[in-house]
Amino acid sequence: NVGLERTFQRAGTNRAELEKVLRHYEGDKRKHRAALFLLERMADCYSYADPRIDTLQELRYLSSLPGREAWADSVKKVWRHVSFRNSPKVYDAQVMTADYLINHIDHAFKVWDSRPWAQYYSFEEFCRYVLPYRLADEPLTAWRESYHLQFASRVDSIYDGSDIIGKIQAVQTLFIEDGSGWSELFSFLPHPSAAFLLEHPVGVCRELCGYVVYLLRSLGIPAVTDQYVASPQASG
């Protein structure tokens, strides 16, 4: 298995943690396959290690609040040409714990198995559109259960039927009711963590789409983002 071997090579001394996940699921064929799906694709997954990122994420949130326009513009001028792409990378394979991955997989299956529409999706679709623990280069956080706890009962109170479209419309209703903050400040930053977005759903399309994908997947609803090749608003 080329993908798995690349991940083990990347993991180095952390390989034992990843192998522990596979041993844990030796008696469960579905979860073992799911763990393999994630591990085979983990080698090139990473987040950035730079304390400035957290500081600027918090300023991004504050910039979405009323009365912050003046200082937001001054801060933006200072940071306009800064790039974080040269910041140190933290590879998932080198820091991933067995407990994190096991808890994530278990919760994904627990919710998925309780949803009536799961019968209409293949195992591969579940792995691709429900199971993943990250979206891009955001910091790793244990997000699945916290999103589910915050939204599942509220969504079910709006629509408790078995139609997946009805459930998605209920999510849309909540998203509109709760509101979100639009902020173009620091749009050059890497993706914020799922935990940050749960507390502060603020940013541009990338952040707000990510927030909804975390929410949908936590409810066992397959979701993926799409992207325009060119944006008429951002001229890029």
Side-chain angles (χ1 to χ4, degrees), residues 50-228:
D50 193 321
R52 296 175 299 174
I53 293 175
D54 291 337
T55 300
L56 295 181
Q57 291 287 18
E58 188 63 27
L59 287 176
R60 170 189 273 168
Y61 161 65
L62 293 175
S63 74
S64 69
L65 302 177
R68 302 286 181 169
E69 292 79 5
W71 70 260
D73 287 343
S74 63
V75 171
K76 188 173 183 179
K77 288 179 181 178
V78 174
W79 291 94
R80 181 175 295 160
H81 301 295
V82 175
S83 173
F84 288 93
R85 300 309 173 190
N86 294 324
S87 298
K89 294 177 180 178
V90 179
Y91 283 93
D92 295 358
Q94 297 171 349
V95 297
M96 178 67 69
T97 66
D99 285 346
Y100 176 98
L101 212 53
I102 289 169
N103 289 336
H104 184 90
I105 292 171
D106 284 351
H107 195 270
F109 272 94
K110 178 182 178 181
V111 175
W112 182 248
D113 288 341
S114 70
R115 298 297 179 174
W117 50 78
Q119 63 183 307
Y120 302 114
Y121 290 89
S122 68
F123 181 79
E124 182 179 348
E125 288 171 320
F126 163 75
C127 287
R128 289 186 178 278
Y129 306 129
V130 177
L131 178 67
Y133 61 87
R134 68 152 63 252
L135 299 183
D137 55 11
E138 72 275 18
L140 286 181
T141 52
W143 56 270
R144 188 176 289 276
E145 189 168 4
S146 56
Y147 272 76
H148 187 267
L149 286 172
Q150 182 153 323
F151 292 106
S153 61
R154 296 175 63 203
V155 171
D156 289 344
S157 70
I158 297 174
Y159 176 77
D160 62 356
S162 61
D163 178 41
I164 191 171
I165 301 301
K167 193 67 70 174
I168 293 171
Q169 289 171 336
V171 170
Q172 182 183 29
T173 298
L174 272 188
F175 182 78
I176 294 172
E177 287 180 355
D178 290 354
S180 58
W182 180 266
S183 174
E184 296 179 353
L185 193 65
F186 312 134
S187 57
F188 55 82
L189 283 172
H191 289 69
S193 71
F196 179 88
L197 287 176
L198 182 60
E199 296 296 323
H200 311 304
V202 59
V204 291
C205 295
R206 183 188 68 172
E207 284 73 37
L208 302 182
C209 285
Y211 171 70
V212 174
V213 170
Y214 289 128
L215 198 170
L216 292 172
R217 289 180 175 177
S218 77
L219 301 178
I221 299 175
V224 66
T225 57
D226 199 358
Q227 187 174 357
Y228 289 107

Side-chain angles (χ1 to χ4, degrees), residues 29-47:
K29 184 177 180 181
R30 287 194 312 157
K31 291 183 179 180
H32 191 270
R33 287 175 60 195
L36 277 175
F37 179 89
L38 296 178
L39 290 171
E40 288 167 355
R41 292 157 176 78
M42 189 181 291
D44 297 323
C45 295
Y46 60 85
S47 56

